[in-house]
Amino acid sequence: MSRETFMSLANELQPALQKKITNWRKTIQTVAELFGIGEETLCILIREVCHGIKKLMLKKYIHLPYGNELEQNVSGFAKRGMPFCVGAIDGTHIPIIAPTENPADYHNRKGWYSAILQGIVDHKMCFTDIYVGWLHDARVLANSDIYILAEHRQGGYLYAREHSGNINGLEIPLYLIGDPAYPLKNEKRIFNHRLSSARIIVEHAFGRLKGRWRCLLKRNDININTVSDVVVACCVLHNFCELHGEQYPDNWDCPQECVERPVANNREDSVSAVSIRDALLTVV
């Protein structure tokens, strides 16, 4: 990030990270410039920075859109061919060292250990909701705050019903798009094409996230209890950079296998979900 953006970040984190100069200790920043930082101290600093980002910045930079933000988001997805859509949801693997407890919960189908980052992004590739969980992916979704929120809302809607639209007399709630879970039939090819074109935005967001914060690319050997904080901090910093207009060079892109996504479990669509999808077929 640019120096200007970095200083803005430092100012936001100052209340959580600023050290006091005493008769016994100068600030860590001064000592680092003169002597470097030891590994143990570095680990402590990483935890402190991640904690500070979560405490001071998480709710500010990662939240579901409401008001004008919601209208702009829905309009943005409508321009991509998906009316009434409020976000794209997907997951990606974060490589980790094999944990000592319950390692099987983290062992993925590729033969290595990982945590799963489930993310929802808006039309500008900024995260609006994140959840870090362990395998299998169905448990990640079922345990995520966004799933619990929707389940407890009236009718299972993510947003209140006054935000719903209408197609041919059928109420269409604001919805999230993900992988298509139905067979590809001729009458659905155009719909599937536009769905794919709209939902690819979440894949691009994951690519930029890992391209910027390379610690999410290779195996992370930190304590498993700290992995979630590191991932959350990187997601917040991703939004911070995007909202500050930081450039993202193409040569930062990582190979596609580095952003490998979890395999979704095929489940039966509910009757209401099928009806909504079929109604959307008439307008997209």
Side-chain angles (χ1 to χ4, degrees):
M1 64 181 69
S2 65
R3 179 179 180 85
E4 181 181 1
T5 299
F6 178 80
M7 294 309 299
S8 177
L9 174 64
N11 288 334
E12 291 212 34
L13 291 176
Q14 182 176 347
L17 301 180
Q18 187 175 32
K19 305 296 182 181
K20 294 182 179 179
I21 297 177
T22 70
N23 293 331
W24 300 100
R25 180 194 67 187
K26 289 187 176 181
T27 61
I28 289 178
Q29 290 85 349
T30 302
V31 176
E33 290 176 1
L34 296 175
F35 305 108
I37 298 177
E39 183 176 343
E40 183 176 350
T41 303
L42 180 61
C43 292
I44 294 174
L45 292 177
I46 290 175
R47 288 196 294 269
E48 287 183 354
V49 171
C50 290
H51 177 73
I53 290 174
K54 284 187 64 177
K55 180 181 179 180
L56 299 179
M57 300 177 66
L58 176 57
K59 292 183 179 180
K60 177 180 179 181
Y61 287 97
I62 299 182
H63 57 267
L64 292 177
Y66 287 95
N68 290 335
E69 286 186 352
L70 178 60
E71 293 178 7
Q72 293 173 9
N73 196 29
V74 173
S75 176
F77 276 104
K79 292 177 181 178
R80 289 177 172 267
M82 296 302 299
F84 310 118
C85 176
V86 74
I89 184 172
D90 208 342
T92 187
H93 287 286
I94 308 296
I96 60 173
I97 192 171
T100 55
E101 296 184 9
N102 304 318
D105 287 343
Y106 306 84
H107 197 258
N108 61 47
R109 64 188 182 92
K110 287 290 186 177
W112 40 277
Y113 295 89
S114 63
I116 293 181
L117 166 62
Q118 176 185 281
I120 298 173
V121 302
D122 62 17
H123 68 293
K124 298 181 295 185
M125 285 190 291
C126 286
F127 292 100
T128 59
D129 184 84
I130 56 173
Y131 180 80
V132 183
W134 324 121
L135 300 182
H136 300 282
D137 52 286
R139 291 196 342 232
V140 174
L141 175 61
N143 290 326
S144 64
D145 293 338
I146 197 73
Y147 183 89
I148 296 172
L149 174 64
E151 286 294 295
H152 284 80
R153 287 277 174 86
Q154 183 179 5
Y157 289 0
L158 183 59
Y159 283 88
R161 300 185 73 156
E162 64 249 28
H163 297 293
S164 299
N166 187 287
I167 297 178
N168 299 328
L170 179 67
E171 182 181 15
I172 307 294
L174 297 182
Y175 58 86
L176 302 173
I177 53 175
D179 282 332
Y182 44 78
L184 185 63
K185 298 182 180 178
N186 291 334
E187 67 272 15
K188 296 171 183 172
R189 289 187 184 275
I190 295 177
F191 175 82
N192 284 352
H193 172 73
R194 295 187 180 179
L195 173 64
S196 177
S197 297
R199 68 163 302 280
I200 201 172
I201 197 169
V202 67
E203 295 180 24
H204 289 166
F206 283 138
R208 290 166 77 102
L209 171 72
K210 292 187 173 183
R212 277 198 175 103
W213 314 110
R214 313 298 281 193
C215 64
L216 303 182
L217 275 177
K218 298 180 180 179
R219 191 186 73 180
N220 202 319
D221 292 348
I222 62 176
N223 186 285
I224 190 64
N225 296 320
T226 308
V227 169
S228 176
D229 285 353
V230 171
V231 176
V232 168
C234 290
C235 290
V236 172
L237 293 176
H238 164 86
N239 280 13
F240 187 82
C241 288
E242 293 290 336
L243 293 173
H244 280 77
E246 287 296 306
Q247 294 184 351
Y248 182 86
D250 292 339
N251 60 0
W252 286 2
D253 284 340
C254 56
Q256 186 60 34
E257 58 268 20
C258 293
V259 291
E260 180 184 359
R261 294 149 47 216
V263 177
N265 291 331
N266 290 326
R267 295 166 55 180
E268 289 292 328
D269 291 332
S270 67
V271 174
S272 60
V274 172
S275 299
I276 291 171
R277 183 196 65 197
D278 290 343
L280 288 170
L281 286 172
T282 65
V283 296
V284 301

